[in-house]
Amino acid sequence: MRGIKGEYERVENEVLHIGNGEKKFFTTKKIAILVLAALLFGLATPFTGFLTKPAPPSPPSSDEPLCPIPSKIPIKESEKVQFVLNDKKFQEGVIDRFSKALQIDTIVYDKTTNYTKMANFHEYLEKTYPNVYETAEVNKVNEYGLVFYFEGSNKDLKPIMLAAHMDTVPIGNPDDWSEDPLSGSFDGTYFHARGAFDCKNLLVGLMEATELLIQDGKTSFERGVILAFGFDEEKSGWDGAYHIGQFLVDKFGPNSIESIVDEGPVMFSEIMGDYYSLIINGEKGYADIKVEITTPGGHSSIPRDHTSIGMLSKLLSDYEEDQYKPVLVPENPMMGFFQCVGEHGRLPPNIADAARKIGFDDGSKEIIIDYFGKSPLIKYNFQTSQAIDIINGGDKSNALPRSVSAVVNHRISYGNDFDDIWAKFTKHGKVAAERYNVGLSVNGREILPASDNGNIVISFYSDGLSPAKKSPDNDDFWFEFTGIIKSFYEDEVFPDKMLKGDKKFIVTPGIMSGNTDTRHYWDLTDRIFRVQPGSTDMFSSNVHGQDERVDLHTHLESISFYYNYISHFANL
């Protein structure tokens, strides 16, 4: 019998591609014929350039920056920013209002279909921010989605949109928390509650900023402003943001929004010896794949050599060991991140040199992949991840399991697609099917017929999502947006940090390995950014874990930043 390595090599040669419901087999012999035909055609047509490789990207001229530093944009509402950040009496009201918002249960589960509890949060918002409700056009979308629209006087200007979500993930075991997870308690520095960081801080901050603008008489907007709040982002947004996206397309038309800013990493973080603001302008794709094995079953006293659980375990173990290959392509915003770090950051000289050359030198890409690929937090920004998250099977200790299944989650990197996932599952599924003499079906197509021993079926568990189109990181809006961020933190929030030492504040593009409600807003604009004001990162805030928290200063940054942001872009 051939070894497992030999089996994989044979299957890889035989099955190169299964995708989009189409079965395509190529043997090594057929590949050789195709290659030979291509060579002969190329030699016979020398003037067509058939064999000419596309020219690699040219390196930029020596005086052309790879990562231009945005010029600072003066903070239009500097006085109000300082008021929000420093006025203790105002902050007393902020603390009370935010704490009460955190006490309202807006938890959703994967199988939640009843969202009536969101009405309590609606009631709280309307009572707490009456000017917003009286001034804006308020739309309730699919009953619990909220869209506040402030019409602009200049119809030639596309509105700006700011997004957040009111739902939170479950609490888990309340006994594991140091504080009551629905208490909204404030200890003088931190608010403790589920949803404190993700993302009631952002939603309430937007409402606070807008309420203040109205109180100050600064909502005679020339450009329209949209606040859009979903209610099921934590379960992919199909009941909330999906309908909000459709509503906005119907109301304004496709590509009708100037820009969208939604939740993301905080705008100010200390990493790699400097201060960074990662403006997320791309998201990985998503695919949940179900693997189900069905066998005849029977009594455990007379088992087959391999039960369905054993078969599934082996298939999954082999699949998990076979990691996706890291890949860096121009569409991935991480290319821009590495160039910025290479040009302005603190990397070893050889790594910095490779980072600067990453856009036009394949050898430099490999150096960067090898260097940063050692960190799981970074490598999955350019590598498709795979995680076996759900497994089911077995009914009784003395009965052979008949049907067992597992779900494997993938976050699809730029440079990969669904076809790559189907091809890999086909490779491993075929090895397992032939080893155990069972059938195999992948993505709705029969690869091997079911046998008396059983069958393997590999299919989508839920709707998949391709990687998001990268939003521009070199146009006028990008430099205006990032210029505001640079001024906000260097001049308003942390001027002392900028005066001490030699740390720089570096603004870069970046990517999210997770997904946000923005997946449902792609038809509205090419400019979608996922970032939020703050200086305490999501990891120290225990996002999705026990003892989730957010500090008061981060919440005040949200209020003051968006007060200025809305005024800057809408009050021209």
Side-chain angles (χ1 to χ4, degrees), residues 8 291-293 308-322 388 408 424-433 435-436 438-440 456-458:
Y8 281 132
V291 183
E292 185 172 14
I293 299 182
S308 54
I309 289 178
M311 296 178 191
L312 181 64
S313 300
K314 178 61 175 170
L315 193 163
L316 293 176
S317 176
D318 291 342
Y319 186 87
E320 191 174 54
E321 287 294 324
D322 184 14
I388 303 166
V408 186
K424 184 178 166 187
F425 265 116
T426 299
K427 179 179 75 171
H428 288 278
K430 198 162 190 293
V431 168
R435 179 191 292 131
Y436 302 122
V438 297
L440 174 66
I456 301 172
V457 176
I458 302 174

Side-chain angles (χ1 to χ4, degrees), residues 33-305:
I33 293 172
L34 289 170
V35 172
L36 179 60
L39 286 170
L40 290 174
F41 181 79
L43 291 172
T45 55
F47 299 107
T48 64
F50 182 80
L51 294 179
T52 303
K53 292 182 179 179
S58 300
S61 61
S62 58
D63 58 349
E64 181 183 340
L66 295 165
C67 178
I69 298 174
S71 299
K72 290 200 288 188
I73 304 294
I75 298 302
K76 180 178 180 180
E77 303 291 352
S78 176
E79 184 177 343
K80 198 66 174 187
V81 167
Q82 291 305 317
F83 168 79
V84 171
L85 293 176
N86 296 293
D87 189 277
K88 299 303 180 185
K89 185 170 181 58
F90 170 75
Q91 291 173 14
E92 288 177 5
V94 168
I95 293 167
D96 179 66
R97 290 187 292 272
F98 187 37
S99 177
K100 288 177 179 175
L102 294 173
Q103 295 169 29
I104 301 171
D105 177 2
T106 56
I107 293 168
V108 299
Y109 299 86
D110 284 347
K111 297 187 182 298
T112 294
T113 57
N114 184 337
Y115 300 97
T116 53
K117 67 172 68 174
M118 299 298 169
N120 297 326
F121 196 69
H122 284 204
E123 182 180 342
Y124 171 76
L125 291 178
E126 186 167 5
K127 177 182 177 182
T128 308
Y129 305 104
N131 290 315
V132 174
Y133 276 81
E134 291 173 8
T135 307
E137 174 189 305
V138 183
N139 300 276
K140 293 187 177 181
V141 181
N142 199 25
E143 197 164 359
Y144 296 109
L146 285 173
V147 175
F148 299 91
Y149 174 50
F150 299 85
E151 188 174 5
S153 60
N154 188 339
K155 299 299 185 284
D156 293 331
L157 297 176
K158 295 180 179 180
I160 55 171
M161 176 170 155
L162 301 167
H165 61 90
M166 60 190 83
D167 59 299
T168 74
V169 297
I171 289 167
N173 185 353
D175 294 337
D176 292 335
W177 288 63
S178 302
E179 305 278 348
D180 179 348
L182 288 176
S183 68
S185 64
F186 179 65
D187 63 12
T189 302
Y190 290 97
F191 296 90
H192 301 267
R194 174 58 82 224
F197 189 96
D198 184 14
C199 77
K200 286 181 179 175
N201 156 56
L202 175 58
L203 188 152
V204 172
L206 287 167
M207 294 296 285
E208 289 275 351
T210 311
E211 184 81 1
L212 269 180
L213 282 163
I214 298 169
Q215 290 175 6
D216 293 344
K218 294 185 176 182
T219 50
S220 297
F221 297 142
E222 189 172 347
R223 183 193 300 277
V225 176
I226 300 167
L227 306 182
F229 303 149
F231 57 89
D232 68 330
E233 190 273 347
E234 300 295 357
K235 59 185 289 281
S236 297
W238 287 104
D239 293 320
Y242 169 77
H243 291 277
I244 290 174
Q246 296 301 304
F247 168 80
L248 292 172
V249 168
D250 291 342
K251 183 176 179 65
F252 297 105
N255 196 29
S256 57
I257 306 296
E258 180 70 14
S259 68
I260 297 173
V261 183
D262 196 3
E263 63 173 330
V266 293
M267 290 179 178
F268 191 89
S269 298
E270 186 173 356
I271 55 175
M272 295 187 290
D274 284 302
Y275 303 118
Y276 280 83
S277 184
L278 271 66
I279 313 301
I280 305 303
N281 58 329
E283 284 185 359
K284 295 177 75 174
Y286 185 102
D288 283 329
I289 305 298
K290 182 179 181 180
V291 183
E292 185 172 14
I293 299 182
T294 304
T295 57
H299 199 281
S300 295
S301 63
I302 315 173
R304 297 170 183 263
D305 289 343

Side-chain angles (χ1 to χ4, degrees), residues 331-479:
E331 296 79 19
N332 191 335
M334 290 302 291
M335 294 283 280
F337 169 80
F338 289 129
Q339 287 182 323
C340 287
V341 176
E343 191 164 35
H344 304 298
R346 301 168 190 262
L347 294 174
N350 63 317
I351 304 301
D353 183 62
R356 290 191 294 270
K357 295 177 180 177
I358 196 171
F360 52 86
D361 181 73
D362 288 341
S364 294
K365 283 185 184 179
E366 294 305 315
I367 292 172
I368 293 302
I369 286 173
D370 181 67
Y371 182 79
F372 285 98
K374 296 178 175 65
S375 166
L377 289 176
I378 299 180
K379 79 171 184 177
Y380 285 120
N381 289 322
F382 50 81
Q383 178 179 331
T384 295
S385 63
Q386 54 192 23
I388 303 166
D389 290 333
I390 300 174
I391 191 162
N392 292 295
D395 300 311
K396 203 169 183 296
S397 62
N398 65 348
L400 298 176
R402 185 175 181 277
S403 179
V404 300
S405 65
V407 176
V408 186
N409 174 263
H410 303 77
R411 303 303 172 110
I412 306 171
S413 180
Y414 291 85
N416 288 139
D417 55 26
F418 296 124
D419 287 347
D420 295 316
I421 292 175
W422 293 129
K424 184 178 166 187
F425 265 116
T426 299
K427 179 179 75 171
H428 288 278
K430 198 162 190 293
V431 168
E434 292 182 347
R435 179 191 292 131
Y436 302 122
N437 190 24
V438 297
L440 174 66
S441 175
V442 178
N443 194 26
R445 295 294 182 179
E446 183 182 276
I447 309 302
L448 295 170
S451 73
D452 292 340
N453 291 328
N455 196 35
I456 301 172
V457 176
I458 302 174
S459 60
F460 273 121
Y461 178 72
S462 60
D463 291 332
L465 181 73
S466 297
K469 179 182 176 182
K470 183 177 76 170
S471 294
D473 55 15
N474 58 359
D475 66 358
D476 290 344
F477 185 88
W478 169 269
F479 287 113

